[in-house]
Amino acid sequence: MLKIAKYIILDILRSKVLLAYTLLLLAISLTIFMSDADVTKGLVSITTVILIIVPLVSIVYATTYYFNASEFTELLVSQPISRRDILLGKFIGISSSILVAFIIGVCIPVCLFAFSATGITLMVSGCLLTLSFISLAFLTSTLTRDKAKGIGLALMLWFYFSIIFDGLVLLFLYSFADYPLEKVMIVLTALNPIDLARILILLQLDISALMGYTGALYQQFFGSGSGIVFSIAMQLLWIIIPLLFALRIFKKKDL
Amino acid sequence: MEKVIEVKGLKKSFGRLQVLKGIDCSCETGGVISVLGPNASGKTTLIKSILGMVIPDEGTILFHGRPIVDTFDYKRKIGYMPQIGHYPDNMKIGQLFKMIMDIRQQDALDTDLLKAYQLEGMYNKTMRTLSGGTLQKVSAALAFMFNPDVLILDEPSAGLDPFAAEALKEKILDEKTKGKLVVITSHIISEADEISDHIMYLFEGQIRFYKTLSELKTETGEQKLSKALTKILS
């Protein structure tokens, strides 16, 4: 499993795409930190940018790479290696490469300029977000045979989690405005890894007071120790569950 | 003789298309089996099912008496040469061989074909730049590399130049005398005539016949396999 991961990492290092991603993240975080003296504001800006770019790049890159490495998979399947090891090896290889890009591009500047509780939350939830979207990418890649369809599905998923989901939540809130929805909102948040990351980071900042009554409830729930444990556990589930489904599909897939 | 591969009631459909409609056969050690049949008769699907690359809908496949479902260790004993080899684009030939050795944790045991095809001189060529024929040579060298008991070759001579095809044929006959089982799919009847012991003819996902070459020839009274085939199929 780790050997497969090793060869995938070596292969990814030879391409320039991931290097470009690293430099982009690095440029974003450095310019934001250098242009604003207020570190907290900088963190908020970085959060906004990261919550869009990180899921998008993770899911699209992982899907593309998965399909580009299909020859490699085919070769491995005819060798004495279990399918589980092949898929997990691929996952470890791809995710560690993208994570390294995130760590160099975001974690190092944050550590240098804004090492605080908020900074740590940002780094941890960024890493978890990366992993959960790679996991989703594996699910879409095993679901489809065709590369174009796979990438299309990956983009749809990203679109859904970044934009449509929030629209649906707003619609839901609006239609059931007469009912007490605060607890429901917490459950709804758990259904979207991006929202989980966002709330976790924003609540570390003092601006949650601006979010009204729900914000106060969020603060009470997600700000507490058990709330943080809950949201991290939910993010871990967002990594494990799609990967398990991908594994189940991959074991029965014809190559 | 010991049955190496046994296939029982194998069925497989891709969508609505039924490719294999119940295949029953068994292969014994020491001999070359040619799987013949028109395009889309299910030859490759049968081979890929044996290798666990295609998961059958129904039926079982036994390797040395053990079902292959959810196992992979038996592939250690199989050398497989695909119809069209797909390899990682950015890799060089040398790196590919090294990687497979590393993953299998085995050293190259049989380098006859590597030498015959002079692949060692091309170790620095990237897979992407190789011609179809060279890719076939790489696939062939890889299939024989770990001295497996069973060789499964999917249209091995397609795309190979005559000299390379000849070298491969000699290698196959060589392995046969060592008591190995070789399964070959082919469209070239004359080639099958020269090397096979058994002929399996697939037609629309079913075995039309599975006989030894001499049986086939005496039954039809023909000296050549191509004529025997036309007689038996008409």
Side-chain angles (χ1 to χ4, degrees), chain B residues 81-96:
Chain B
M81 175 176 173
Q83 197 166 12
I84 303 158
H86 292 296
Y87 301 104
D89 269 354
N90 295 326
M91 221 170 236
K92 290 173 180 155
I93 297 184
Q95 288 173 328
L96 177 78

Side-chain angles (χ1 to χ4, degrees), chain B residues 7-8 26 34 63 82 102 107 128 148 174 176 198 231:
Chain B
V7 179
K8 290 178 187 163
S26 60
S34 282
F63 190 83
D102 185 22
D107 269 334
R128 195 180 338 144
D174 219 34
K176 186 173 93 171
H198 293 82
K231 213 168 194 179

